[in-house]
Amino acid sequence: MRKSHPVRRAVLAGAATVSGIVLLLSLKPATDPGAAQAAGGQLPPAAAGQAPQGGVNGAVTGDAAQTQYGPVQVRVTMTNGKITKAEAVRTPQGGRSDQITASAVPRLNQAAVAAQSADIDAVSGATYTSAGYKKSLQSALDKAKAAAGAAQGGGAGAGTARTVTGSVAQTQYGPVQVRITVAGGKITKAEAVQAPKGGRSDQITSASVPRLNQAAVAAGTAQIDSVSGATYTSAGYKKSLQSALDKAPAGGGSSQASGAGGGGGQAGTRTVTGSVAQTQYGPVQVRVTVTDGKITKAEAVQAPKGGRSDQITSASVPRLNQAAVAAGTAQIDSVSGATYTSAGYKKSLQSALDQAGG
């Protein structure tokens, strides 16, 4: 037994050496720097938090949100579907509002970029401004979502549902604003996100709005009958509904897309209505028709009225319309003697172009 002991020891040592070599060979790929780099290079640590690629790029301006102290309107800049910049292009002005705006808006802008949504906290001491900011921000995000749906849909995504919020329509008894869901070029849902409130308006709104919602879905257009006893609410509803349909990307039955090539997607025509721009003498709102990225028609669907405003409007608006088509942008000259109307026209025109270019 003692004589065989060294042999046994040698056999065991050899077996251990072979096992060690096998283990080293099996571990080599995991410890190889090249393999580790290849595996790690495709999985960035923040991958789970990144927005999907192919999202909206560019600036999108939300609808103006009316507040007790003045309108608030937000523009967001999107990169691959993410908010990279938020700014208030209109805010309450004058007196104490200037101080509140200067303090609150930068914080709201930062919060919008951080949250990547309109679900942000109100700034203390700026309740009305914060509420208006969030409403306009949500409108901008709705528009961006609609534009992304159109871009991704191309020809095969006609069944993709898109939610679009129309511009606010001011009525004698309060604002009306309509939001629609469009799928396959048809309205599948309509709702009033703003309607006249207080006193008898509550009763009229509760009776008329559900009927207007149903009519919008049934008709698929804004050509619906007014509800008896709710003339002003009906008129505002139809105006905001038409605005929402204008914003809905051309892709189906109710749009005016009549591309020369049938299936040519981007060669179609779109009609887009800009947000209402409030001026010292009344609201201005512009609708443009865009074909192949160019303005082919511009018209003011709202302009200051009454007294001398009628004369100024009739003289200036046709010239502004012509200038918009000629320039292809909102960078047009003001019409002499119509400074306020020109400024409002250019602001609403820019809003329309932001929507068309989303």
Side-chain angles (χ1 to χ4, degrees), residues 144-349:
K145 183 178 179 181
Q152 291 178 354
T160 303
R162 299 187 292 274
T163 300
V164 188
T165 304
S167 302
V168 176
Q170 296 297 331
T171 76
Q172 187 171 329
Y173 297 100
V176 179
Q177 188 174 29
V178 178
R179 177 178 294 145
I180 58 172
T181 301
V182 179
K186 296 181 179 179
I187 302 173
T188 57
K189 182 180 179 182
E191 56 184 325
V193 293
Q194 286 194 70
K197 297 178 182 178
R200 180 148 163 67
S201 291
D202 290 337
Q203 182 180 350
I204 293 173
T205 292
S206 62
S208 63
V209 166
R211 294 168 62 184
L212 291 166
N213 291 338
Q214 290 176 351
V217 174
T221 73
Q223 304 304 313
I224 57 178
D225 292 332
S226 297
V227 173
S228 178
T231 305
Y232 291 101
T233 298
S234 298
Y237 186 101
K238 290 191 283 183
K239 185 175 287 185
S240 183
L241 173 58
Q242 184 60 58
S243 166
L245 290 172
D246 288 341
K247 296 173 185 176
S254 62
S255 72
Q256 296 181 353
S258 55
Q266 300 225 343
T269 297
R270 291 182 60 195
T271 300
V272 188
T273 304
S275 302
V276 176
Q278 298 295 334
T279 77
Q280 187 171 328
Y281 297 100
V284 179
Q285 188 174 29
V286 179
R287 177 179 293 144
V288 295
T289 300
V290 180
T291 303
D292 296 338
K294 295 181 179 180
I295 302 174
T296 54
K297 182 180 179 182
E299 56 185 324
V301 294
Q302 287 193 71
K305 296 178 181 178
R308 180 151 162 68
S309 291
D310 290 337
Q311 182 180 349
I312 294 173
T313 292
S314 63
S316 62
V317 166
R319 294 169 63 183
L320 291 167
N321 291 338
Q322 290 176 352
V325 174
T329 73
Q331 304 303 313
I332 57 178
D333 293 332
S334 296
V335 173
S336 177
T339 306
Y340 291 102
T341 298
S342 298
Y345 186 101
K346 292 191 281 185
K347 185 173 289 185
S348 182
L349 173 59

